[in-house]
């Protein structure tokens, strides 16, 4: 028998399919690629499906439960009906004679390891919902115009892709001179006028939308001391739309640097299409060979949000490039480059730092190869955190158990390993961390009767067995059925490159990462449009999720729903018994079976069972639902 293909799922793409918005996003992306201008985007932004999709995307983020200055969070939106939510959003944006006026943003200062603080701006939840509505429509337009060299806060791009590209530049292309740039307070100093012009240059000419973005940028900021500040520059860190706006600002820099070498007209004019493997690429190598005989400076940029590095072949090129790029940023973007933190690094002699890694090249068999490790500062930070948590395992904090402290420590270990495993020297760094932690645990868990730290003594899950099963460093605290994860048991992972074909806004681009929804679209559309009178937005959203989870079938009979009118939502624990309209408390059944979930005489129920052709298997499921609803079982 042929092997079943694995189902792939990207959450944002699946959500867009639930609300029928993927086709709209694809169309916007294609039009943007074709250079079309967008003058009427507000109808899409304020469409019912886009607003409810925004709710769906926001509620998946833990930050949605953090309140703004109005003390409300996502549950306050989810408890209202879908119609009320849509009306409220439309009224906030266009209903007032003064236009959209966002509420004050709550300022919260987040401590940084160097003792300074990072200012975080937390908009009110309704303003966050509006920002998400705008982001969903703007993102496909912008993605079509963004440069390939940026990797931060973009769909299908990650730190792994940026590190892979860094390794390629150093090892394969021999670009050993790295310019480390630092823009002073980037998010706090973005020039509003320049940003609006950049949005316009991307083809977004909807004046109402641009007015709303201006209002978002100049929203009042409520400081911790309750004073209010009116900003005239910067984008609030913490706003949903801020990362997209930051990428718009720096996209001009990406393209300017790319135009100096990678996308130089000479390279493009001499390029030709080639097939490498199964991928069609535009090969510009002939053009690059010609350019090397000129006085052009070879430069390549890798950017992750406001953190970027420029790679050059010689020191002379690096010095000239540093001066030219600094002047360009200050003149064109109206931003200030920090002279103290901006430097040129020869990676054959010194480490260069990027995204928490320190990277250099070393000579091996007459060839320079990449060597990387965790940054010294990051090692110190992670060591301090792990040692502190190890102390908590030995002596749990108030209202905490030893088990919960071990589980927190384990989550910290997984976080470090998953992020830093891209470093070639990860095992060396983690061995040192492991020794420090084990010293603390061994010393603090020693008692007069012996050590409480044991080599054996607990069960192990399948996932733990696959990851740590071969390790001899596994330890348990006596009497606790949970292993302490060995941080030193880790291998280097080779970072994967971003696949050029992958794109969230084309059918071919989604194929490698996402399996399209195989459901009755007619029924799904009916469920979206069906008015749930008296029910919440959370109920409406969960109903669509359940339809997908149940593969469009009735939970009792397994038959496929042919019409949205046939779909009935049953609360496992009814509202009268304290049940909530939440995904875990809901199930979709054919409405003809609802009568079997009522308290009726047994004789009547038996007649209904015969009429509805209820099998023994179906009866078990019905009785399970009846039991949860405090109804007597059907005998």
């Amino acid at each position: 028998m042929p092997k079943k293909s694995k189902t792939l799922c990207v959450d944002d793409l699946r959500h867009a399919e639930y609300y029928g918005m993927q086709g709209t996003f694809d169309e916007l992306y294609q039009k943007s690629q074709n250079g079309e201008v967008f003058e009427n985007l507000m109808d899409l932004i304020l469409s019912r499906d886009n607003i409810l999709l925004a709710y769906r995307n926001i509620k998946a983020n833990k930050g949605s439960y953090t309140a703004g200055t109005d003390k409300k969070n996502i549950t306050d939106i989810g408890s209202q009906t879908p119609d009320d939510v849509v009306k409220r959003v439309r009224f906030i944006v266009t209903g007032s004679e003064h236009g959209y006026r966002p509420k004050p943003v709550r300022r919260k200062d987040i401590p940084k390891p160097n003792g300074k603080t990072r200012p975080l701006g937390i908009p009110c939840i309704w303003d966050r919902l509006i920002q998400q509505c705008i982001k969903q429509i703007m993102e496909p337009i912008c993605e079509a115009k963004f440069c390939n060299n940026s990797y931060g806060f973009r769909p299908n791009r990650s730190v792994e892709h940026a590190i892979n590209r860094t390794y390629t530049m150093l090892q394969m292309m021999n670009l050993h001179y790295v310019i480390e740039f630092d823009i002073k307070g980037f998010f706090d100093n973005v020039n509003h006028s320049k940003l609006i012009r950049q949005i316009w240059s991307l083809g977004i000419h909807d004046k109402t939308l641009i007015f709303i973005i201006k209002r978002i940028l100049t929203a009042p900021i409520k400081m911790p001391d309750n004073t209010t500040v009116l900003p005239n520059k910067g984008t609030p860190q913490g706003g949903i739309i801020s990362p997209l706006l930051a990428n718009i600002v720096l996209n001009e820099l990406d393209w300017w640097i790319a135009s100096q070498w990678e996308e130089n007209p000479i390279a493009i004019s001499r390029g030709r299409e080639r097939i490498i493997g199964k991928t069609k690429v535009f090969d510009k190598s002939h053009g690059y060979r010609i350019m090397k005989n000129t006085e052009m400076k070879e430069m390549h940029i890798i950017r992750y949000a406001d953190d970027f590095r420029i790679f050059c072949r010689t020191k002379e090129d690096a010095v000239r490039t540093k001066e030219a790029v600094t002047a360009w940023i200050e003149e064109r973007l109206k931003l200030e480059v920090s002279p103290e933190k901006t430097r040129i690094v020869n990676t054959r002699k010194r480490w260069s730092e990027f995204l928490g890694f320190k990277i250099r090249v070393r000579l091996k068999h007459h060839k320079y190869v990449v060597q990387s490790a965790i940054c010294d500062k990051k090692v110190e930070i992670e060591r301090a955190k792990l040692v502190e948590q190890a102390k908590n395992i030995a002596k749990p904090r108030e209202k905490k158990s030893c088990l919960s402290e071990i589980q927190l420590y384990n989550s910290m270990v997984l976080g470090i390993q998953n992020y830093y495993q891209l470093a070639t020297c990860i095992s060396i760094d983690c061995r040192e961390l492991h020794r420090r932690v084990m010293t603390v645990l061994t010393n603090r868990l020693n008692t007069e009767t012996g050590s409480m730290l044991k080599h054996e003594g607990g069960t192990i899950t399948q996932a733990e067995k696959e990851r740590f099963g071969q390790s001899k460093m596994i330890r348990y605290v006596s009497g606790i059925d949970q292993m302490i994860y060995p941080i030193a048991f880790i291998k280097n992972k080779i970072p994967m490159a971003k696949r050029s074909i992958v794109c969230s806004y084309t059918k071919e681009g989604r194929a490698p990462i996402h399996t399209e929804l195989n459901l009755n679209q007619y029924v799904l559309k009916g469920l979206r449009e069906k008015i749930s009178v008296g029910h919440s937005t959370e109920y409406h959203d969960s109903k669509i999720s359940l339809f997908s989870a149940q593969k469009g079938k009735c939970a009792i009979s397994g038959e496929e729903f042919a019409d949205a009118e046939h779909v009935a939502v049953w609360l496992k624990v009814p509202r009268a018994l304290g049940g909530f309209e939440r995904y875990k408390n809901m199930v979709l059944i054919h409405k003809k079976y609802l009568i079997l979930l009522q308290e009726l005489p047994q004789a009547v129920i038996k007649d209904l069972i015969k009429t509805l052709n209820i099998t023994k298997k179906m009866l078990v499921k019905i009785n399970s639902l009846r039991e949860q609803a405090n109804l007597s079982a059907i005998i």
Side-chain angles (χ1 to χ4, degrees):
M1 286 180 67
K3 213 175 183 182
K4 258 191 171 181
S5 59
K6 187 180 177 183
T7 301
L8 304 169
C9 180
V10 176
D11 287 344
D12 286 351
L13 297 179
R14 183 67 80 226
H15 299 167
E17 287 178 310
Y18 288 165
Y19 285 96
M21 290 297 295
Q22 191 61 59
T24 300
F25 298 155
D26 291 356
E27 188 180 348
L28 289 170
Y29 179 82
Q30 190 59 55
K31 285 181 176 179
S32 183
Q33 274 200 323
N34 296 338
E36 293 188 33
V37 168
F38 302 89
E39 295 182 337
N40 188 19
L41 292 173
M42 289 309 299
D43 289 344
L44 288 176
I45 289 169
L46 297 179
S47 66
R48 176 188 172 89
D49 286 336
N50 191 56
I51 292 169
L52 296 180
L53 171 60
Y55 167 79
R56 172 64 185 242
N57 284 328
I58 284 184
K59 79 166 187 177
N61 188 331
K62 289 181 181 177
S64 63
Y65 294 92
T66 303
T69 53
D70 61 353
K71 311 296 183 186
K72 296 182 186 296
N73 62 29
I74 194 65
T75 56
D76 295 286
I77 294 177
S79 61
Q80 298 189 26
T81 67
D83 286 345
D84 286 344
V85 170
V86 171
K87 285 177 186 175
R88 177 79 183 271
V89 168
R90 289 173 179 171
F91 177 77
I92 292 172
V93 174
T94 61
S96 168
E97 61 179 327
H98 303 290
Y100 175 56
R101 285 185 172 182
K103 290 185 177 179
V105 173
R106 180 163 72 91
R107 169 64 63 87
K108 185 174 176 63
D109 293 322
I110 307 298
K112 291 170 73 173
N114 60 6
K116 297 180 181 179
T117 58
R118 175 181 286 108
L120 192 69
I122 304 170
C124 293
I125 193 63
W126 285 99
D127 292 322
R128 270 179 272 174
L129 184 65
I130 290 162
Q131 287 189 30
Q132 180 66 30
C133 291
I134 295 169
K135 176 180 177 285
Q136 286 167 184
I137 298 301
M138 280 184 64
E139 191 166 63
I141 297 170
C142 296
E143 277 297 313
K145 301 284 179 68
F146 280 166
C147 185
N148 246 339
N149 297 325
S150 69
Y151 296 90
F153 305 108
R154 292 182 61 187
N156 311 309
R157 291 168 182 264
S158 64
V159 168
E160 181 174 0
H161 298 143
I163 294 297
N164 168 274
R165 187 65 179 153
T166 301
Y167 288 178
T168 300
M169 294 279 186
L170 294 171
Q171 185 166 311
M172 306 299 290
M173 299 171 66
N174 294 318
L175 298 165
H176 296 159
Y177 286 90
V178 180
I179 313 170
E180 298 179 351
F181 275 93
D182 183 86
I183 298 176
K184 283 186 179 178
F186 170 74
F187 284 94
D188 293 330
N189 291 297
V190 167
N191 184 282
H192 291 174
S193 299
K194 177 66 179 176
L195 172 55
I196 296 303
R197 288 197 297 273
Q198 289 170 319
I199 291 172
W200 188 272
S201 71
L202 291 174
I204 298 173
H205 293 185
D206 187 321
K207 292 181 181 178
T208 306
L209 173 57
I210 288 174
F211 170 80
I212 290 167
I213 291 171
K214 283 181 181 177
R215 284 286 173 91
I216 290 171
L217 293 171
T218 56
I221 300 172
K222 191 172 184 180
M223 307 300 284
D225 60 0
N226 284 330
T227 59
T228 300
V229 174
L230 296 174
N232 57 12
K233 59 181 179 177
T235 62
Q237 291 187 67
I240 286 174
I241 203 172
S242 292
L244 178 61
L245 297 179
N247 276 329
I248 290 172
V249 171
L250 293 173
N251 182 54
E252 192 175 345
L253 172 67
D254 299 337
W255 280 112
W256 180 73
I257 291 175
S259 71
Q260 305 301 305
W261 191 267
E262 290 175 49
E263 300 296 327
N264 190 284
I266 296 174
I268 294 171
S269 64
R270 300 301 178 108
R272 61 190 178 90
E273 285 191 346
R274 286 177 57 195
I275 303 293
I276 299 179
K278 294 181 181 178
T279 308
K280 184 186 284 186
V281 297
F282 189 71
D283 181 14
K284 293 175 273 195
S285 57
H286 182 56
Y288 294 149
R289 283 195 293 271
I290 294 171
M291 289 161 62
K292 282 179 181 177
N293 296 323
T294 68
E295 293 186 1
M296 292 181 184
K297 300 185 292 293
E298 183 173 359
M299 61 175 86
H300 302 263
I301 186 172
I302 299 174
R303 183 173 66 80
Y304 193 96
D306 63 325
D307 196 4
F308 64 96
R309 301 290 179 263
I310 295 176
F311 297 77
C312 299
R313 195 167 299 280
T314 66
K315 185 177 181 180
E316 291 73 22
D317 280 355
V319 170
R320 290 165 63 195
T321 298
K322 178 174 174 283
E323 292 173 359
V325 173
T326 300
W328 194 93
I329 289 172
E330 292 178 349
E331 290 170 16
R332 292 292 295 270
L333 300 184
K334 314 297 182 188
L335 295 167
E336 187 179 353
V337 174
S338 170
E340 301 84 18
K341 295 181 181 178
T342 300
R343 60 176 189 157
I344 297 170
V345 178
N346 178 357
T347 55
R348 294 195 293 265
K349 297 180 180 178
R350 288 190 296 162
W351 296 98
S352 174
E353 297 187 356
F354 189 38
L355 300 176
F357 297 85
K358 60 178 185 179
I359 308 167
R360 68 180 180 185
V361 291
R362 62 184 180 85
L363 200 59
K364 182 179 179 182
H365 303 308
H366 310 291
K367 182 184 176 183
Y368 283 102
V369 297
V370 163
Q371 182 181 26
S372 57
I374 307 174
C375 277
D376 296 338
K377 287 181 184 177
K378 294 291 183 182
V379 168
E380 290 297 325
I381 293 166
E382 301 300 350
R383 183 192 294 123
K385 287 180 181 177
L386 289 172
V387 166
E388 187 61 32
Q389 189 55 28
K391 293 176 183 177
N392 293 335
I393 291 172
K395 186 179 179 181
R397 291 166 291 180
E398 190 178 352
K399 295 183 181 180
K400 293 274 188 177
S401 65
C402 184
L403 175 61
S404 67
E405 297 288 15
I406 292 173
Q407 289 171 339
L408 178 55
Y409 173 84
N410 288 347
S411 69
M412 292 165 67
V413 167
L414 291 179
I416 293 168
Q417 289 185 340
N418 291 341
Y419 186 85
Y420 291 109
Q421 63 184 336
L422 304 175
T424 60
C425 300
I426 180 65
S427 59
I428 297 171
D429 289 332
C430 285
R431 276 203 300 271
E432 195 273 334
L433 293 174
H434 182 80
R435 280 196 298 271
R436 290 293 298 271
V437 169
M438 282 299 114
T439 300
V440 170
L441 287 175
T442 303
N443 291 342
R444 294 190 175 230
L445 291 173
N446 274 341
T447 64
E448 292 179 1
T449 56
S451 177
M452 293 176 65
L453 205 59
K454 308 292 183 184
H455 288 259
E456 296 177 352
T459 55
I460 181 170
T461 66
Q462 186 59 36
E464 289 171 341
K465 189 175 181 180
E466 289 173 5
R467 184 154 187 158
F468 301 111
Q470 301 299 314
S471 175
K472 295 180 181 178
M473 295 180 281
I474 293 173
R475 296 292 183 270
Y476 294 88
V477 175
S478 182
I480 306 296
D481 189 23
Q482 172 64 60
M483 73 153 73
I484 299 172
Y485 291 171
I487 191 169
F489 193 74
I490 179 69
K491 287 183 180 179
N492 159 246
K493 178 191 173 188
I494 298 172
M496 301 298 291
K498 185 204 173 287
R499 296 169 66 183
S500 58
I501 192 175
V502 172
C503 174
S504 291
Y505 304 111
T506 65
K507 195 169 184 177
E508 302 76 22
R510 288 191 293 272
I513 59 168
H514 183 75
T515 306
E516 293 197 355
L517 209 53
N518 186 22
L519 291 174
N520 187 322
Q521 294 296 318
Y522 168 72
V523 180
L524 183 60
K525 185 173 184 289
L527 287 177
R528 284 200 304 269
E529 295 173 351
K530 190 177 179 182
I531 298 172
S532 304
V533 179
H535 292 290
S536 65
T537 300
E538 178 60 27
Y539 173 95
H540 177 81
D541 184 67
S542 298
K543 177 177 65 176
I544 294 171
S545 296
L546 276 170
F547 182 72
S548 174
Q550 294 179 199
K551 298 181 180 177
K553 298 176 182 178
C554 169
I556 291 175
S557 65
E559 63 182 303
E560 287 193 12
F561 294 111
D563 194 291
E565 292 302 319
H566 298 161
V567 181
V569 179
W570 176 257
L571 295 184
K572 297 173 185 176
V573 179
R575 281 195 283 188
L577 298 177
F580 294 100
E581 293 183 338
R582 296 285 185 270
Y583 179 87
K584 289 183 179 179
N585 192 43
M586 292 164 58
V587 67
L588 301 186
I589 61 174
H590 197 289
K591 69 177 184 180
K592 66 185 177 183
Y593 300 122
L594 282 175
I595 195 167
L596 293 173
L597 296 171
Q598 297 178 24
E599 198 66 82
L600 298 171
Q602 288 288 336
V604 174
I605 289 177
K606 284 182 178 179
D607 287 340
L608 288 168
I609 286 173
K610 287 179 183 178
T611 305
L612 295 170
N613 295 320
I614 303 297
T615 64
K616 287 183 180 179
K617 192 176 179 180
M618 292 165 64
L619 190 58
V620 170
K621 294 176 181 177
I622 291 168
N623 276 332
S624 174
L625 293 175
R626 288 179 67 89
E627 183 184 350
Q628 292 176 78
N630 274 357
L631 298 172
S632 57
I634 299 172
I635 302 169

